[in-house]
Amino acid sequence: MKFASFTRHLGVVAVASVLVAACGSSSGGGTASCNAKAAKSVSDCGGMDALVAAAKAEGKLNIIATPPDWANYGASIDAFSAKYGIKVTSANPNGGSQDEIDAVNSLAGTSSAPDVLDVGLKYALANTALFAPYKVATWNDIPADQKEATGLWFQDYGGYMGIGYDPSKVPGGVINSFSDLLGSGFKSKVALAGDPLKSNQAVNGVLMASLANGGSVDDVSNGVAWFHKLKQAGNYVPIIGTGATVKSGTTPVLFEWDYLSSSHGKDVSGWKIFEPPGAILGNYYTQAINKQAPHPAAVRLWEEYLFSDEGQNNWLKGGARPVRMDAMQKSGKLDAAASAALPKVSGTPVFPSADQQTAAGTYISSHWSAAVG
Amino acid sequence: MTLAGSPAIESTARPIRGGRRLSLNWLGVAPFFAYVGLFLLLPTAILAVGAFVDKDGHPALSNVTAIGQPYLLRTFVGSTIVSLISALVGAIFGALLAYAVATGNPRGVLRRVVTSAAGVFAQFGGVTLVFAFIATIGPVGLVRVFLQDRGVDIFPSGVWLYEPSGLTLIYTYFQIPLMVLVFLPALDGVRPQWREATESLGGTTWHYWRYVAGPLLAPSFLGCTLLLFANAFSAYATAAVLITQGGVLVPLQISALFTSETGQAQPGLAKALALSMVAIVTIVTVLYALLQRRTSRWLR
């Protein structure tokens, strides 16, 4: 069966690649009614119906590094396939941002190249030359600092740095403030989900500590000083917190992105997440369309789906905060139950830029060992 | 098959006699030199070159001078302390154990058990060893929880197991048996006749150790201690598995400088650090060789 269908598709692929090669450096790709490859919005393509028709004609979509259980991606993949009859191929589900960029480069021009990327902001900023500009229909709902003005990249979902904890292991069963963590009831309990010398997540954990203790995203020194106090109190556990250490009880209090922290609920019943007031540090992932996408119409339709109310709510159900959350809250389209399940947040979120994160990392690399090591 | 094949082998094998055999002698050691070249000399050469090249590929001293930064010097201090303490503890306890074995029955059960156990434990390291310690005295380890339930907290001021002090403890686990292995030959070389001679001349046990056995064994003891130091100083896997955060030791800092995703990756500096480790271990090894030579003058 597999082989038969493979040979059947082989002809289609051959014809398609001849077509792509023929169009070559010109505006290329797409059908008569919709020049998808050059389309910067759905209207450029002659409206939603034309885009759907062109996408259906392509019939396929290649995505990468998006496991089905990651932020509930699986629900969107299944719904999109069912709705439009487009076969979604998910490559290298456990890959990282750099793997995605590498795949775009190494598979360039082939039919198996990834159509769309879902990467960390830093990787999007460094690789804009690989992307095609596109603005989804709901473009205006995306806050201005979370998108590139021409649509080369736009953030999709994310969350905040949080303090996940096992209520049965902390005094009183609840954490109410950052300074609680310095108390004697937290002896050997507090950990970071990464090595601050190596991992962005850990650097952001220290940044959050800085924000909560009078520092700013430009000055991480208060965070390092706070971890020094934590260490002196005997409360800091100097290992990388993971699902395994949470499950075993080695790291009952863990600084981690809240959309990742929420997954510990399956191992530790009652697992809670505390978002320190006034220290809301945000991190969002970034969508970008491959300039040389083998399925230019399908990938644009995919973006329209992901940024529709339905697509946004799918991420929300996975514990991630979709980028249109505020707008959907106002329009009443937000999934109320999923929204209520998110950790409570008070204060204005801060989004450290790539430069600010690098500066924080530089300070930490030369001061961490002295303070905590 | 074999019947038909063997005459052919015979006929080709015979002419190899005479002068040709001499010229093929080097073939026997060729694999060794190829191995050393590929896995020891080539990487060292890559390090040596990489340490003196800046980000853009130009020759520079910036990597080497950057080692002088306080936070990097701290890592050398950290590595030295861990290596020194684990080497001294390993040397003292290993020497005592080796002495107990050496003075016992040379064909006795004790000697056979201790030497074979030492052979196994001296090689016990890395993930398995760290796991063994975490499972016993880690924060949720068997022994720790057992003691905690009885009111004894072995981590009164933080989990020191994940710090250099914990690493020192774990290192002594393989340092002691290693000391037994390397020090036992020296002890075996001490002849009972020397003690008898001391006693027949009216010397006491103190005189024997102070003027005969002590000076004889001291070079070997110091040499073996240096070997233990080098062994701990250059260890990476055990430390990397146990201490997953921060760069308190040189090898861990090198790893951070190679693989950081926070914009701190500085391969040139990492290579310069690695090169300085190579230099330190080389010095220690040369000292060890010199001391061993002095030892072998008396103990055969």
Side-chain angles (χ1 to χ4, degrees):
Chain A
M1 263 310 274
K2 269 270 158 63
F3 184 71
S5 85
F6 172 73
T7 46
R8 190 149 34 81
H9 288 302
L10 200 62
V12 179
V13 171
V15 170
S17 47
V18 167
L19 277 177
V20 169
C23 298
S25 54
S26 72
S27 53
T31 60
S33 62
C34 167
N35 182 3
K37 202 148 197 158
K40 293 190 171 70
S41 69
V42 69
S43 56
D44 284 358
C45 192
M48 194 65 183
D49 291 342
L51 180 63
V52 170
K56 279 184 173 167
E58 289 171 358
K60 283 185 190 173
L61 176 73
N62 296 338
I63 61 175
I64 184 168
T66 43
D69 56 355
W70 176 274
N72 200 25
Y73 245 107
S76 286
I77 294 170
D78 292 344
F80 179 77
S81 295
K83 194 167 176 180
Y84 300 111
I86 290 171
K87 184 177 179 300
V88 179
T89 307
S90 178
N92 191 9
N94 295 317
S97 294
Q98 190 58 47
D99 295 325
E100 300 185 42
I101 303 292
D102 291 346
V104 168
N105 287 319
S106 64
L107 297 173
T110 72
S111 63
S112 54
D115 287 301
V116 64
L117 302 180
D118 186 354
V119 293
L121 178 60
K122 193 168 75 172
Y123 295 88
L125 290 172
N127 294 286
T128 47
L130 299 174
F131 307 149
Y134 186 77
K135 293 181 181 178
V136 290
T138 50
W139 180 258
N140 291 335
D141 288 351
I142 305 173
D145 57 356
Q146 292 189 272
K147 62 192 176 189
E148 196 275 331
T150 63
L152 282 173
W153 56 261
F154 33 99
Q155 300 203 299
D156 43 12
Y157 61 89
Y160 305 123
M161 186 48 72
I163 303 173
Y165 63 99
D166 178 352
S168 70
K169 298 242 170 72
V170 306
V174 66
I175 295 176
N176 288 318
S177 80
F178 224 86
S179 52
D180 284 1
L181 301 179
L182 297 172
S184 60
F186 287 85
K187 195 125 288 184
S188 302
K189 283 180 180 162
V190 187
L192 284 166
D195 179 352
L197 300 191
K198 296 184 187 176
S199 135
N200 268 324
Q201 180 164 213
V203 166
N204 280 290
V206 184
L207 263 179
M208 173 175 72
S210 190
L211 289 179
N213 291 281
S216 72
V217 281
D218 290 310
D219 177 16
V220 75
S221 62
N222 286 11
V224 175
W226 186 83
F227 271 93
H228 179 61
K229 277 192 239 164
L230 187 73
K231 153 93 179 172
Q232 283 185 319
N235 294 357
Y236 182 57
V237 187
I239 60 169
I240 294 176
T242 62
T245 63
V246 166
K247 198 172 181 179
S248 73
T250 312
T251 56
V253 180
L254 185 59
F255 284 43
E256 196 174 18
W257 295 121
D258 57 5
Y259 50 88
L260 301 176
S261 188
S262 58
S263 71
H264 300 315
K266 68 182 188 299
D267 294 325
V268 176
S269 66
W271 182 261
K272 283 191 200 169
I273 299 170
F274 169 63
E275 308 270 10
I280 307 301
L281 197 67
N283 177 60
Y284 277 67
Y285 287 88
T286 306
Q287 289 280 324
I289 295 174
N290 182 0
K291 193 166 68 177
Q292 300 190 59
H295 312 106
V299 67
R300 282 159 177 79
L301 183 61
W302 171 244
E303 294 298 352
E304 293 296 348
Y305 177 78
L306 290 180
F307 286 81
S308 70
D309 293 341
E310 187 182 332
Q312 297 276 299
N313 275 328
N314 280 342
W315 277 325
L316 184 62
K317 286 173 200 160
R321 294 165 201 273
V323 73
R324 290 181 52 229
M325 195 158 163
D326 281 351
M328 286 166 63
Q329 187 100 51
K330 281 179 196 127
S331 65
K333 302 285 192 201
L334 201 67
D335 186 311
S339 166
L342 291 175
K344 299 284 168 290
V345 170
S346 64
T348 314
V350 183
F351 295 89
S353 70
D355 286 346
Q356 285 168 327
Q357 293 199 25
T358 304
T362 305
Y363 181 88
I364 289 170
S365 74
S366 54
H367 292 81
W368 190 256
S369 301
V372 180
Chain B
M1 279 296 278
T2 42
L3 277 178
S6 49
I9 291 171
E10 292 268 299
S11 64
T12 52
R14 280 202 179 141
I16 296 189
R17 281 199 185 155
R20 281 183 66 189
R21 183 174 276 183
L22 250 180
S23 65
L24 287 175
N25 270 354
W26 62 272
L27 264 182
V29 286
F32 173 73
F33 281 118
Y35 182 84
V36 169
L38 264 179
F39 295 104
L40 193 66
L41 299 181
L42 181 65
T44 312
I46 291 173
L47 278 185
V49 173
F52 294 98
V53 168
D54 67 9
K55 261 180 220 146
D56 310 315
H58 303 301
L61 284 174
S62 54
N63 293 324
V64 182
T65 52
I67 295 178
Q69 295 174 81
Y71 82 97
L72 289 179
L73 291 180
R74 278 180 63 95
T75 65
F76 279 97
V77 173
S79 269
T80 307
I81 292 174
V82 167
S83 310
L84 203 60
I85 294 178
S86 77
L88 286 177
V89 172
I92 291 167
F93 285 94
L96 290 175
L97 185 56
Y99 182 71
V101 169
T103 51
N105 180 356
R107 272 179 293 279
V109 177
L110 175 76
R111 189 186 176 102
R112 274 184 290 166
V113 168
V114 170
T115 49
S116 36
V120 173
F121 292 135
Q123 300 303 321
F124 192 30
V127 181
T128 41
L129 180 61
V130 172
F131 176 76
F133 270 86
I134 290 176
T136 44
I137 61 168
V140 289
L142 197 68
V143 174
R144 199 261 162 138
V145 172
F146 178 84
L147 291 174
Q148 202 175 24
D149 291 346
R150 279 147 193 81
V152 181
D153 188 0
I154 58 171
F155 300 126
S157 51
V159 189
W160 50 262
L161 180 66
Y162 295 117
E163 291 170 12
S165 43
L167 191 66
T168 310
L169 174 73
I170 295 180
Y171 277 4
T172 56
Y173 191 89
F174 57 73
Q175 296 279 52
I176 293 175
L178 182 63
M179 184 67 180
V180 171
L181 290 182
V182 294
F183 195 52
L184 199 52
L187 285 172
D188 284 339
V190 177
R191 292 173 205 164
Q193 292 91 323
W194 296 340
R195 178 151 205 160
E196 290 160 10
T198 315
E199 281 169 7
S200 66
L201 290 169
T204 60
T205 301
W206 161 249
H207 288 131
Y208 168 69
W209 281 108
R210 171 68 184 80
Y211 297 107
V212 183
L216 275 172
L217 291 172
S220 172
F221 181 81
L222 282 178
C224 294
T225 309
L226 283 178
L227 185 74
L228 298 196
F229 178 87
N231 187 40
F233 194 79
S234 53
Y236 171 69
T238 311
V241 179
L242 183 74
I243 305 178
T244 49
Q245 275 188 357
V248 285
L249 304 180
V250 186
L252 301 180
Q253 186 66 50
I254 291 173
S255 154
L257 285 170
F258 267 125
T259 61
S260 175
E261 66 169 18
T262 61
Q264 309 308 316
Q266 300 173 63
L269 181 54
K271 285 175 186 166
L273 281 179
L275 193 65
S276 46
M277 280 190 77
V278 170
I280 291 172
V281 172
T282 306
I283 292 169
V284 171
T285 313
V286 167
L287 284 176
Y288 168 71
L290 289 176
L291 286 167
Q292 280 300 92
R293 192 189 291 173
R294 183 169 165 75
T295 310
S296 60
R297 207 189 295 165
W298 284 99
L299 306 172
R300 274 183 295 265

